[in-house]
Amino acid sequence: MRKAYKKPAVMRRTSRLFCNDVNVGKAVVVRDFLHQCHDVAQYFVDLFWQRQDFSADLADLATVHRGCERFGITTRLAQALAKQAKEICRTAHVNGHRKPRLRHWTTTLYSHFMRLEPFAGPHFDYVLCLIGSGAPRLTLPLHSTQHLNGLLQEGWALGKTVRLGWRTGRLCVEVILEKPRPAPKTVGDVVGMDSNYKHGLVFSDGQTTGDTAYETIQCFAKRQKHTHAHIKSLVGHALKQVDWGNVRVLCIEDLKRVKQFLRGTFPRRLNRRLSHWSYNFLAQRLACACEERGIRLERKHPAYTSQYCRLCGKWDRRNRRGDQFVCRACGHTDHADVNAAHNLAFLGLAGVYGLRSLPKPIRCSEEQSIG
Ligand SMILES: [Zn+2]
């Protein structure tokens, strides 16, 4: 049996800063260092995977020394990279993936290797000092970003480690920010939320936001570079307007089911527009927003949530006509998304995953209409 996952006491966010003003000589040194770290980490990954070593403890010294000798690096660096490789192997093993191949040249630097300090001077905001012990000895000046400043204002504190990476030909520093996790909320309601690209986010407590996204998406001619960035900003904007005060548990559609559920039921043009609406990104942002407020996020099976009548509990495929929900049994009329949101909230209250897993007496109407 798998052990129950215990949530860590701090929440983490990352913020990416690009070093655009580093001179070429320094950039080359750091790039070569990252390339080497990548090779060493992959070597350790291969080694641990071959040994089927997925334990949580530190790598043994013999293995670390093997890495040192082979690549000519310091013990401290080898130890840090072996630790990273072990974490990578463990995650892949737990998720049932194959042996990981490291694609990015990204390395986590602990406090032995670097210091992140405010820049003493007017031109930059931070300075990342690499202080040796395996890493090159140099300083990288950094400009802060709106994103980082916003997080710092919200009470996030800079963590002790950073991730240094080489992306799209530029050097980037991922700063890790930490904040204590708030206690889970005890007051408030179970609220369902249905999201789609047309009406934005529809909550069962009556809130709706992000419904202007539809017009914007309609203007997109084809998959363009900026469209995804645009959608992300729309999602972020929509989430900012939500009032979380009365929410204790939020029930949303299980992402894994959304795509399989939609495939083939819409014309191609609509499918293309759907592809612009980023469920994955929305769910990530929602998870963050809920985490920061101590709200529990529950994922529910979306099947039939748009066809069930929330008043009389009867199910009929014909209940839904486009945006409108009209119950054929009791005549209840509602907006289709509002009805779905209420059904998701109902699943949350009932404590079940999907409408299919409800006990028989509530489901009997469904069987009747099928038979
Ligand atoms: Zn009804």
Side-chain angles (χ1 to χ4, degrees):
M1 220 178 91
R2 245 160 85 176
K3 263 188 195 166
Y5 173 69
K6 192 165 177 290
K7 279 183 183 168
V10 287
M11 307 185 286
R12 290 210 170 83
R13 298 285 180 274
T14 56
S15 184
R16 196 173 288 166
L17 308 174
F18 279 98
C19 314
N20 295 321
D21 310 286
V22 174
N23 67 46
V24 181
K26 271 189 198 177
V28 168
V29 171
V30 179
R31 192 197 62 195
D32 292 346
F33 167 66
L34 290 173
H35 191 183
Q36 192 188 31
C37 287
H38 165 268
D39 291 348
V40 179
Q42 183 69 56
Y43 170 74
F44 281 128
V45 166
D46 293 346
L47 214 60
F48 292 131
W49 200 268
Q50 193 186 17
R51 292 182 195 163
Q52 296 285 300
D53 179 0
F54 304 119
S55 61
D57 24 292
L58 284 174
D60 58 300
L61 267 178
T63 314
V64 171
H65 283 304
R66 218 170 125 179
C68 289
E69 278 159 31
R70 195 185 163 105
F71 292 94
I73 53 175
T74 61
T75 317
R76 185 162 267 178
L77 183 62
Q79 207 147 28
L81 291 168
K83 188 181 166 202
Q84 283 166 44
K86 236 174 163 183
E87 280 162 14
I88 292 166
C89 282
R90 247 184 99 206
T91 320
H93 177 69
V94 167
N95 295 332
H97 295 165
R98 285 189 295 177
K99 187 178 89 177
R101 289 213 65 78
L102 309 180
R103 284 180 303 146
H104 298 297
W105 294 0
T106 308
T107 299
T108 307
L109 294 178
Y110 306 101
S111 51
H112 303 300
F113 304 110
M114 62 89 206
R115 278 197 313 265
L116 186 64
E117 292 165 352
F119 188 76
H123 303 296
F124 294 98
D125 299 305
Y126 294 101
V127 60
L128 182 72
C129 307
L130 300 177
I131 51 176
S133 47
R137 209 177 280 268
L138 47 84
T139 56
L140 302 169
L142 296 164
H143 283 292
S144 189
T145 56
Q146 216 180 343
H147 180 242
L148 179 59
N149 290 339
L151 285 171
L152 288 172
Q153 265 176 18
E154 286 170 25
W156 294 84
L158 287 171
K160 281 195 179 131
T161 56
V162 298
R163 289 167 62 75
L164 196 60
W166 184 262
R167 269 173 191 272
T168 58
R170 284 189 297 171
L171 204 56
C172 87
V173 178
E174 277 176 18
V175 184
I176 294 165
L177 296 126
E178 293 176 340
K179 198 180 186 178
R181 185 184 298 278
K185 258 181 153 178
T186 49
V187 285
D189 295 331
V190 178
V191 174
M193 192 208 74
D194 190 39
S195 66
N196 66 38
Y197 79 110
K198 204 164 178 186
H199 301 107
L201 318 180
V202 180
F203 290 80
S204 66
D205 63 352
Q207 298 188 65
T208 51
T209 58
D211 43 358
T212 50
Y214 182 54
E215 290 153 31
T216 320
I217 293 170
Q218 266 191 322
C219 300
F220 294 158
K222 54 186 172 203
R223 215 175 244 275
Q224 286 165 339
K225 244 190 178 173
H226 70 266
T227 52
H228 261 105
H230 202 131
I231 292 289
K232 283 181 181 176
S233 76
L234 283 173
V235 168
H237 190 69
L239 280 177
K240 272 200 183 133
Q241 292 169 337
V242 178
D243 174 17
W244 299 101
N246 202 29
V247 185
R248 180 170 56 91
V249 180
L250 184 69
C251 302
I252 61 167
E253 296 166 313
D254 195 341
L255 263 178
K256 278 183 255 167
R257 315 279 177 179
V258 171
K259 278 260 166 72
Q260 79 182 39
F261 200 53
L262 291 177
R263 189 177 299 140
T265 52
F266 290 110
R268 187 179 286 172
R269 184 191 281 180
L270 194 62
N271 252 330
R272 199 200 62 225
R273 284 191 198 141
L274 275 172
S275 73
H276 287 307
W277 181 247
S278 169
Y279 278 98
N280 206 354
F281 178 73
L282 173 68
Q284 279 172 13
R285 292 299 301 271
L286 264 177
C288 289
C290 289
E291 189 186 31
E292 285 160 25
R293 291 167 181 85
I295 297 169
R296 197 165 83 230
L297 189 68
E298 289 186 359
R299 295 185 169 81
K300 303 293 179 192
H301 200 304
Y304 311 115
T305 49
S306 60
Q307 297 164 359
Y308 234 82
C309 173
R310 66 177 168 103
L311 286 193
C312 64
K314 293 213 168 112
W315 175 84
D316 197 313
R317 188 182 291 271
R318 296 163 293 183
N319 277 351
R320 183 173 183 168
R321 282 192 220 111
D323 296 341
Q324 206 60 32
F325 178 88
V326 183
C327 178
R328 295 178 74 89
C330 71
H332 167 63
T333 316
D334 211 339
H335 191 284
D337 293 332
V338 176
N339 186 61
H342 273 282
N343 281 328
L344 286 167
F346 170 68
L347 288 176
L349 281 171
V352 290
Y353 178 56
L355 287 165
R356 282 257 171 222
S357 35
L358 283 174
K360 270 274 154 87
I362 310 179
R363 260 179 61 191
C364 64
S365 48
E366 179 189 327
E367 255 83 25
Q368 277 165 15
S369 55
I370 289 171

